[in-house]
């Protein structure tokens, strides 16, 4: 995943933070970054420096505000060239490596990447919320003295989006730790907004995930098509019953359509009885 394409700088009045795209016209950030939305316009600025105006979704009620969650609606849709994988983990072990990208004050124009490193690890994943908005503590490499502006930046594990950063803990005016909220507490929001996600009991390090990425499959498919040359044509396709199993695993629109139709047929039969 090219994380630079999905993370934006957020500006609302004098406040600056980070946000990330969850669909072509929706983004998530920390609510405190845009809390002055009633008196100020909100703008997202990406790596191309092009500004996009956004508004706070009416979905964000007082409960979400207490969670420090803001759903932003883009006035203009943007093209997403990445496959966004959202994962809800019940448990993320301490020591798990994480990555991110944000717009700290010291790098508010070009942004900053927190790459996979032994210094960027999960300290603990809390079973209960702390201060009504924190359930994950993140150790970081401390390459910056402060990470102010990282609020709203996504937290990724093995390329999957699992939550977002919402606070920085300082000690002697130096950044000590970052905290965040995982998507475990946004399940209803994702369902209401039709955002697909996976739900897993516990994170476990699988080296193959770093090899068998979406990009790997795309590249190998292109290579296979190229090797076939004139023997390949997309018009030749044999539908097999087993293909629906793959559609289900990847939660495609075709699978949703078929399930919706099946459900509709069941309800129709019940109504006729």
């Amino acid at each position: 995943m090219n994380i630079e394409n999905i993370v934006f700088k957020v500006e609302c009045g004098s406040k600056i933070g980070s946000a990330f795209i969850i669909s072509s016209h929706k983004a998530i950030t920390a609510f405190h970054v845009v809390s002055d939305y009633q008196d100020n316009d909100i703008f997202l600025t990406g790596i191309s420096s092009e500004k996009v105006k956004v508004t706070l979704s009416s979905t964000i009620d007082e409960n979400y505000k207490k969670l420090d969650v803001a759903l932003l609606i883009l006035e203009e849709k943007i093209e997403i060239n990445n496959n966004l994988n959202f994962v809800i983990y019940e448990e993320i072990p301490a020591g798990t490596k994480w990555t991110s990208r944000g717009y700290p004050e010291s790098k508010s124009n070009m942004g900053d990447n927190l790459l996979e490193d032994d210094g960027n690890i999960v300290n603990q994943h809390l079973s209960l919320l702390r201060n009504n908005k924190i359930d994950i503590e993140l150790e970081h490499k401390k390459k910056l003295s402060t990470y102010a502006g990282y609020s709203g930046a996504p937290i990724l594990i093995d390329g999957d989006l699992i939550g977002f950063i919402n606070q920085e803990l300082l000690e002697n005016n130096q950044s000590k730790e970052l905290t965040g909220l995982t998507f475990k507490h946004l399940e209803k929001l994702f369902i209401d907004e039709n955002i697909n996600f996976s739900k897993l009991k516990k994170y476990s390090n699988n080296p193959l995930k770093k090899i068998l990425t979406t990009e790997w499959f795309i590249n190998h498919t292109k290579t296979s098509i190229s090797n076939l040359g004139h023997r390949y044509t997309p018009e030749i396709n044999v539908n097999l019953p087993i293909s629906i199993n793959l559609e289900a695993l990847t939660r495609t629109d075709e699978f949703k359509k078929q399930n919706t139709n099946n459900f509709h047929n069941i309800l129709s039969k019940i109504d006729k009885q």
Side-chain angles (χ1 to χ4, degrees), residues 7-174:
V7 179
F8 292 75
K9 176 170 67 175
V10 187
E11 297 174 273
C12 180
S14 61
K15 296 181 178 179
I16 296 177
S18 306
F20 58 98
I21 295 297
I22 61 171
S23 73
S24 62
H25 62 290
K26 296 175 184 176
I28 282 180
T29 187
F31 175 73
H32 73 265
V33 175
V34 295
S35 58
D36 296 333
Y37 70 98
Q38 292 179 323
D39 301 318
N40 298 279
D41 290 331
I42 309 173
F43 292 96
L44 299 185
T45 308
I47 194 71
S48 65
S49 299
E50 183 178 348
K51 281 192 174 184
V52 178
K53 190 176 180 181
V54 299
T55 56
L56 184 71
S57 170
S58 58
T59 304
I60 301 304
D61 56 19
E62 291 304 315
N63 291 324
Y64 284 123
K65 291 176 182 178
K66 289 178 182 177
L67 273 175
D68 201 17
V69 176
L71 176 67
L72 306 176
I73 307 300
L74 283 68
E75 289 192 351
E76 302 173 26
K77 290 186 177 182
I78 63 170
E79 184 177 350
I80 300 177
N81 297 317
N82 295 276
N83 186 37
L84 303 179
N85 296 319
F86 301 95
V87 181
I88 292 176
Y89 285 111
E90 285 297 320
E91 181 183 351
I92 302 173
T96 300
K97 293 181 181 179
W98 63 277
T99 60
S100 185
R101 174 176 171 81
Y103 284 84
E105 292 177 352
S106 59
K107 297 186 177 182
S108 62
N109 290 327
M110 295 303 296
D112 174 69
N113 289 345
L114 282 166
L115 304 175
E116 186 170 301
D117 186 275
D118 290 338
N120 298 329
I121 60 172
V122 174
N123 270 346
Q124 62 174 330
H125 187 202
L126 307 172
S127 58
L128 298 175
L129 283 174
R130 190 175 75 226
N131 299 332
N132 294 318
K133 62 179 182 179
I134 294 168
D135 77 336
I136 192 166
E137 298 174 351
L138 305 168
E139 175 77 21
H140 61 79
K141 199 176 178 181
K142 302 178 178 64
K143 65 176 183 176
L144 301 177
S145 59
T146 177
Y147 285 80
Y150 252 95
S151 289
I155 304 170
L156 294 91
I157 294 178
D158 288 345
D160 296 329
L161 295 131
I162 63 97
F164 66 93
I165 295 168
N166 58 16
Q167 192 172 309
E168 175 185 34
L169 300 181
L170 298 173
E171 188 175 89
N172 298 323
N173 294 321
Q174 295 290 315

Side-chain angles (χ1 to χ4, degrees), residues 180-207:
L181 183 74
T182 65
F183 294 148
K184 180 168 66 173
H185 303 280
L186 299 187
E187 183 174 351
K188 183 180 183 303
L189 180 66
F190 279 10
I191 293 172
D192 292 343
E193 299 298 325
N194 295 316
I195 302 299
N196 293 329
F197 60 89
S198 302
K199 212 173 170 183
L200 301 174
K201 185 69 176 175
K202 182 178 180 179
Y203 169 78
S204 59
N205 183 29
N206 183 354

